[in-house]
Amino acid sequence: MLAREIGCNDRQVRNWVKAYQAEGEAGLEPKKKPGNPLARYERRKELTYEEQLQYQVELLKRELVKKEAEVLRLKNSTNERGAMPKENDSADVC
């Protein structure tokens, strides 16, 4: 009934009740969602030296995450290929 009165669906009201029961009024405050850490630097034309360094650190962190993902992907593809018998191995067994 409350959902109809305020013009939203029942699930949203249940989520609010659950959040309130778990955290009190603080549970109803909007949570800050992680965003693009580089956006705050890219929008500005001039950065202080410290901000330039922080921007470079964030770029390097992003690059590291990409490289780690690539290494993991390559390890997984190598493991998958290693589990399969090679075509030429059966000819050498005679």
Side-chain angles (χ1 to χ4, degrees):
M1 274 197 206
L2 177 62
R4 287 184 201 150
E5 288 178 26
I6 61 173
C8 67
N9 64 34
D10 292 333
R11 181 177 292 174
Q12 182 63 52
V13 173
R14 284 193 302 269
N15 288 342
W16 288 336
V17 170
K18 192 182 217 180
Y20 182 79
Q21 289 173 338
E23 302 175 42
E25 287 185 28
L28 301 176
E29 294 293 323
K31 304 286 188 276
K32 185 174 181 180
K33 296 181 181 178
N36 181 357
L38 300 177
R40 64 178 157 194
Y41 302 115
E42 292 173 347
R43 291 187 196 128
R44 296 178 54 192
K45 291 185 178 185
E46 292 187 26
L47 300 175
T48 65
Y49 181 70
E50 183 179 335
E51 289 172 331
Q52 290 173 3
L53 293 176
Q54 289 173 340
Y55 180 72
Q56 289 176 352
V57 167
E58 293 297 333
L59 285 175
L60 291 171
K61 283 181 184 178
R62 182 175 283 187
E63 186 178 337
L64 179 62
V65 168
K66 288 180 182 179
K67 297 289 183 185
E68 288 173 341
E70 179 68 9
V71 167
L72 185 60
R73 185 188 67 77
L74 290 172
K75 281 183 180 180
N76 287 339
S77 68
T78 302
N79 289 340
E80 289 173 4
R81 278 190 266 146
M84 292 187 194
K86 296 179 182 175
E87 294 178 20
N88 295 340
D89 287 348
S90 59
D92 294 339
V93 177
C94 295

